[in-house]
Amino acid sequence: MTEEKRKPTPEEKAKAAAEARAKAEALRKAKEEQQATEQAGAEPAQAGAEPIGDSQAGAEPIGDSQAGAKPDNPTQAAVESKAFDQSAAPSKPVSEMTPEEKTAAKAAAAAAAAAKAKAAREGSAESGAGGDDADAKAKAAAAAKAKAAAAATAAAKAKAAREAAGQSGESAEAGGDDAKAKAAAAAKAKAAAAAAAKAKAAKAGDADTETAPEAPKEPSKNQPFLDKYVARISERFGADVLESSYINELAKEVPTLVVKNQRWHEVAQFLRDDEELGFEYLSNLHGVDYEDRMEVYYHFYSYKNRQSVAVKVKTDREQPTVASVVDIWKGADWNERETYDLLGIHFPGHTDLRRILLPDDWVGYPLRKDYVQYDEEV
């Protein structure tokens, strides 16, 4: 901050006021001396006009009016001093003055010169003392300005960086949204194309089905054996002895016969004794609960013919009974006892039909679908 722009401190103002009062007191004394001189001399040439010294003493000199405020710089002090000199100068030439006017002018000039000298001395001292302060304050102000400018520059850079980052983020987000929209559109188009292709294929399939009947399924490799079994049994017992016959595709395409319950024992005897059939081996038998009925499922094998057959015999669920074949195949003994033990199917003709897994006093048959456990602790 320059000396011109620096505002005076309260101390400087007080000092300047004291100086102004001292100057005013000096002027007052000079005025009194001038008045005493005028009274001692003759009347002034111009009674209605105040002496130059009086007029200038009664009106505060330019230097005095500005003494309340300390000059900001030497240049301003010089200007004030010049104004003070001009105010002290006489308003008319000395040759035209009366002796009294000359005396008054000399007194005013002397007072002005004394005040000017005193002001010059004080101004020099103050300028010497205030110069150092002004330089220090100017340096501090310059440092503060530089710091503020650096802070403003850093803030501007940070703001620009944030704005750039925000713009890049918005651009990236916009780009991401565009990519997502494109991907969604592509997925929709792909799904629509797949649906159209599926519909077209379905229409083509329906057209093919309508125009060309489905090709007949090839017969099972075991179909000839099934036909042979049905023919032999029907020839021996009649066609009504079998409820049905089929190839069980879920069990290795084994030929399966469903024999009526009442004729089962004699058909079983025939299956074993017939030369063309010869099923001398019972590999397994088990019972099945279908809730509305029960069935006993038998598996036989002919080692001589290397052929197999399955037989189903249905029975009532309330009083399930199937003739025992223990007298034909001894291996049916424990299998029939197990089926009786767990499902409650009776096998008339069995010589030792009793429980084989559970105790004799066990209540109920665990493999039945409506079984309720009698003893909850077990």
Side-chain angles (χ1 to χ4, degrees):
M1 182 180 294
T2 60
E3 189 65 17
E4 295 180 358
K5 294 182 180 181
R6 186 178 66 83
K7 293 182 179 181
T9 62
E11 293 79 4
E12 294 174 345
K13 288 183 178 180
K15 187 176 181 181
E19 294 175 356
R21 285 194 296 270
K23 290 180 181 180
E25 183 65 22
L27 290 174
R28 185 182 63 79
K29 290 180 179 181
K31 184 177 180 181
E32 289 177 354
E33 292 176 357
Q34 181 180 355
Q35 288 177 353
T37 305
E38 289 177 354
Q39 289 177 0
E43 270 185 29
Q46 298 177 355
E50 289 184 349
I52 296 173
D54 294 340
S55 63
Q56 292 177 351
E60 186 179 0
I62 297 174
D64 294 341
S65 65
Q66 295 179 354
K70 182 180 178 182
D72 290 337
N73 51 43
T75 304
Q76 185 177 356
V79 172
E80 292 177 355
S81 177
K82 184 177 180 181
F84 187 86
D85 294 341
Q86 291 176 355
S87 65
S91 59
K92 59 183 178 178
V94 178
S95 60
E96 297 177 1
M97 291 183 182
T98 62
E100 292 79 6
E101 291 177 348
K102 291 180 180 179
T103 303
K106 287 180 180 179
K116 181 177 179 182
K118 184 178 181 181
R121 289 193 301 272
E122 291 176 353
S124 299
E126 290 177 359
S127 63
D132 296 337
D133 294 340
D135 293 340
K137 291 180 178 179
K139 290 180 180 179
K145 281 186 177 181
K147 187 174 181 180
T153 304
K157 289 183 179 180
K159 183 178 179 181
R162 287 195 300 271
E163 292 177 353
Q167 292 177 357
S168 63
E170 291 177 358
S171 301
E173 185 176 358
D177 293 340
D178 293 340
K180 290 180 180 179
K182 290 180 180 179
K188 286 183 179 179
K190 187 176 181 180
K198 186 176 181 180
K200 185 176 180 181
K203 289 181 180 179
D206 294 340
D208 294 341
T209 302
E210 293 176 358
T211 55
E214 185 178 354
K217 187 177 181 179
E218 294 184 1
S220 171
K221 61 181 180 179
N222 292 330
Q223 187 63 41
F225 302 119
L226 178 61
D227 296 339
K228 172 186 173 182
Y229 306 154
V230 171
R232 290 297 297 162
I233 294 172
S234 299
E235 183 182 350
R236 174 67 178 80
F237 301 102
D240 60 346
V241 76
L242 298 176
E243 294 184 9
S244 63
S245 61
Y246 60 92
I247 297 294
N248 191 346
E249 297 180 353
L250 300 178
K252 299 181 180 180
E253 298 186 357
V254 60
T256 303
L257 305 173
V258 181
V259 180
K260 288 185 176 181
N261 192 321
Q262 299 81 0
R263 309 291 299 275
W264 164 235
H265 189 271
E266 54 184 321
V267 172
Q269 189 74 49
F270 181 73
L271 288 174
R272 190 196 70 172
D273 295 341
D274 185 69
E275 291 293 333
E276 295 186 16
L277 300 179
F279 293 105
E280 72 274 17
Y281 177 64
L282 172 63
S283 60
N284 185 29
L285 76 86
H286 60 270
V288 182
D289 182 6
Y290 287 98
E291 294 186 348
D292 62 335
R293 70 184 189 281
M294 288 191 179
E295 294 181 0
V296 179
Y297 200 9
Y298 301 86
H299 293 268
F300 301 103
Y301 187 75
S302 173
Y303 285 100
K304 180 176 66 174
N305 299 322
R306 298 191 179 278
Q307 297 172 6
S308 61
V309 67
V311 177
K312 287 184 177 183
V313 179
K314 299 178 181 180
T315 183
D316 181 63
R317 194 172 186 276
E318 298 301 326
Q319 294 180 350
T321 302
V322 177
S324 175
V325 291
V326 174
D327 58 333
I328 303 174
W329 293 282
K330 294 297 182 181
D333 185 3
W334 285 9
N335 293 121
E336 289 182 355
R337 286 180 61 185
E338 180 183 18
T339 304
Y340 164 74
D341 189 7
L342 301 180
L343 286 168
I345 300 175
H346 290 264
F347 294 93
H350 195 288
T351 58
D352 189 19
L353 189 62
R354 55 189 174 85
R355 290 186 181 272
I356 190 173
L357 298 175
L358 301 174
D360 292 338
D361 59 350
W362 189 271
V363 179
Y365 304 99
L367 290 187
R368 286 199 179 193
K369 293 183 178 179
D370 59 352
Y371 172 71
V372 177
Q373 186 171 321
Y374 177 75
D375 189 353
E376 296 182 355
E377 295 181 0
V378 176

